């Protein structure tokens, strides 16, 4: 459990970095960067918790806000270096969405959502921070227009619910499902895999 | 009660269709269409429930998500046919907002909101899914710029609260108020009725 | 307590006026102006309450919605006069954000949030209505691009938590912290003080 908690803090920090960096690509002041980092980091989990009628974890545990503050400061201080590490950051992001999706599904099931709602709430945990970030920055949400991203989360979330129902060991299941998400995402970036466009 | 439940599922599906179709008018992938359909379908009711400090109904009852999934699939498969049925869809939408507004007012009153808050929450139930859809797609919300829409909901919601207070039979009241909304909306579309523009 | 309640209603009305006036700068109908006024007025406090897992105050107390309605009507009727009172409105706004920030911090602490979360929630109380307004109107949020605004709220909120922790009298603390926010904001407008831009 301890380990999960620290991974959660670390993941929150990484999301804050990505949010602040996205904001800095706009003509935005320090506060705007910090705010966007904050929203990106807590948006997904907060929405999940609100739908579950719970208080988001950061309201009670100040460490999450400290992790975000650290992430924002790192983003501002090391902007140039981080800008060159796009590939590494993308890898971290792939690991992050795997982790956050599975944690989100687990929490939803623990608070007795339906199985299909747990899949949706797992997806939300991973991607809604980014959606809010893009909406704030007045951009079409990234998840609508780049390589397979949300779909990876959705597949892994569904897999977790399925394996859970047929009785696969909880920790093994979490590991497998998170790995599926991260690997699908990494392959999608590497080979530029996209979903069919249905519009136009 | 049974009948109301199935109408609710049907209305949710229709909203999902309208959301997915709006998304497909943009250059968006299958996931984006599904996501937009989902948000359109659950946005209004979820916001109402969150303001009432309740868990949105779809978190506990998986049938709503299945209805949405069905709606999204219908929208994708029958995109062209549906595109030609604009008038029919507009009729369904008019019936839908009447139904959802009244259900929203009833639920709010049942959970002891003030009367005026019930009017606002009834309105939200019907229109906030569409507002979220338009915000996601980076458009000025439709309810801000087309024929009388939200105002119809607002009038019907106020009528319900009023008739309820003077003791009109609950089911009769629901029917009258929903009918007023749908009829006002249908007439507004037919005769292009708009509210005065106050800006500029 | 009575006085605080009436200031709260007054502040809500002022925010509704500012929201409706922002909407009227766009090509928007009466309903859109009212809706934007409403969202601006209740957005921040509602978000705070939702994060605290409480029902927003306007759901139970209809006076808030009446205050908003009054504000919207004032904005529509006196649009031209108010347009010339930009400086006075800016002063009211500066007083308003000081008040709302401190009330937000107090409520969060009263419902046992962590200290750092109370700072964030105090900030949200004051600025998230405006952020939602700008997002709805499809503009880059004002707090991202104008003179020091949110940062003033953030400083005053942090000051309140700090003085509270070292045992300063509650009412005195509230007065000092709110005054700091309002004065910083007024000076920022007068001398066009901005935060460093980190993007670009």
């Amino acid at each position: 459990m301890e380990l999960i908690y620290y991974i959660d803090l670390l993941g929150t920090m990484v999301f804050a970095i990505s949010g602040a960096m996205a904001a800095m690509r706009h003509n935005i002041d320090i506060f705007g960067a910090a705010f966007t980092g904050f929203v990106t980091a807590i948006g997904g989990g907060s929405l999940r918790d609100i739908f579950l009628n719970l208080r988001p974890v950061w309201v009670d545990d100040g460490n999450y806000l400290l992790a975000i503050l650290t992430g924002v400061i790192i983003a501002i201080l090391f902007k140039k270096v981080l800008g060159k590490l796009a590939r590494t950051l993308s890898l971290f992001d792939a690991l992050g969405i795997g982790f956050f999706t599975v944690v989100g599904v687990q929490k939803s099931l623990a608070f007795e959502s339906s199985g299909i709602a747990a899949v949706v709430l797992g997806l939300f945990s991973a991607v809604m921070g980014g959606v809010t970030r893009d909406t704030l920055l007045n951009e079409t949400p990234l998840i609508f227009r780049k390589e397979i991203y949300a779909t990876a989360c959705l597949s892994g979330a569904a897999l977790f619910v399925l394996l859970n129902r047929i009785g696969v060991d909880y920790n093994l299941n979490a590991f497998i499902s998170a790995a599926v998400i991260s690997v699908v995402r990494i392959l999608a970036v590497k080979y530029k895999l996209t979903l069919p466009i249905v519009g136009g």
Side-chain angles (χ1 to χ4, degrees), chain A residues 3-20:
Chain A
L3 182 63
I4 297 287
Y5 177 68
Y6 288 109
I7 297 179
D8 203 27
L9 286 177
L10 184 69
T12 303
M13 196 187 77
V14 171
F15 271 29
I17 293 176
S18 100

Side-chain angles (χ1 to χ4, degrees), chain A residues 68-82:
Chain A
I68 290 170
L69 200 59
T70 311
V72 167
I73 292 171
I74 290 175
I76 292 172
L77 292 183
F78 302 108
K79 189 171 63 148
K80 288 211 174 129
V81 183
L82 288 167

Side-chain angles (χ1 to χ4, degrees), chain A residues 35 39 46 69 98 107 113 168 174 176 193:
Chain A
F35 186 84
V39 165
S46 294
L69 200 59
K107 187 165 188 180
S113 78
V168 172
I176 293 174
L193 306 176

